[in-house]
Amino acid sequence: RHQFGQVDLVEPNKRLLSTAERDFKDDERVKRFTACPLQDLDLTGESYDCVWIQWVLLYLPDDDLVAFLQRCKRGLQTGGLICIKENVVRDGDSWIVDKEDNSVSRTDAQYKVVFERAGLQVAHEMQQTCWPKRLIPVMMYALRPMDAGEAGLSEASATMKRPASGLLRKPAAAS
């Protein structure tokens, strides 16, 4: 069963956001739908257990990506994670530019430099299994703030069995 009680969904494309609103209208866990490009999204003042980011970072230049991840980090609760799922170049040391959709698939090493610049450390990482070999591999990273120190999650507890999309909060405690 899904472990988060609330999901806030962010999508810059209003047409796709409208589709998500229609598809999730009866799902009580989805609380907010926000039309906003990642460059403008600010989670400061929010309190998320998990920020799940999937197949969108390839559209941000490095400096915008670092700034975005720093803003996501400020929106985390103590012990919270930023989870990323992206196509990642595993063979070779050069990124791949897709001129059709104006995206860049970074290398694993490039992502790790970006994470460090944003003040994040990799708590857990794994490659997507059952993925066609002709496609760029998919990596998943669970990140925590570097300043989390010993209070952060252990590597084993950072693994999620059923990831969801969006910004996630644990359910409120029953009163």
Side-chain angles (χ1 to χ4, degrees), residues 27-126:
D27 191 330
E28 61 192 34
R29 294 171 300 180
V30 183
K31 301 298 181 193
R32 287 190 287 194
F33 295 88
T34 304
C36 183
L38 297 182
Q39 299 91 318
D40 299 335
L41 183 65
D42 189 1
L43 301 179
T44 304
E46 297 293 337
S47 189
Y48 292 102
D49 294 301
C50 178
V51 176
W52 183 269
I53 306 162
Q54 181 169 319
W55 284 316
V56 294
L57 301 182
L58 63 166
Y59 298 108
L60 293 177
D62 285 358
D63 290 341
D64 287 344
L65 176 51
V66 168
F68 168 68
L69 290 173
Q70 289 170 335
R71 291 190 308 274
C72 289
K73 182 174 70 167
R74 288 192 296 266
L76 290 176
Q77 288 190 28
T78 301
L81 292 171
I82 297 172
C83 295
I84 294 174
K85 183 175 181 176
E86 289 286 337
N87 292 91
V88 176
V89 178
R90 300 282 290 173
D91 297 324
D93 58 0
S94 183
W95 65 88
I96 297 173
V97 175
D98 184 335
K99 293 181 181 179
E100 282 186 43
D101 74 349
N102 298 311
S103 67
V104 175
S105 293
R106 294 172 175 85
T107 66
D108 182 64
Q110 288 170 321
Y111 267 115
K112 289 177 178 171
V113 167
V114 165
F115 300 157
E116 186 174 337
R117 283 181 55 201
L120 297 164
Q121 61 186 336
V122 177
H124 188 72
E125 65 182 273
M126 65 183 292

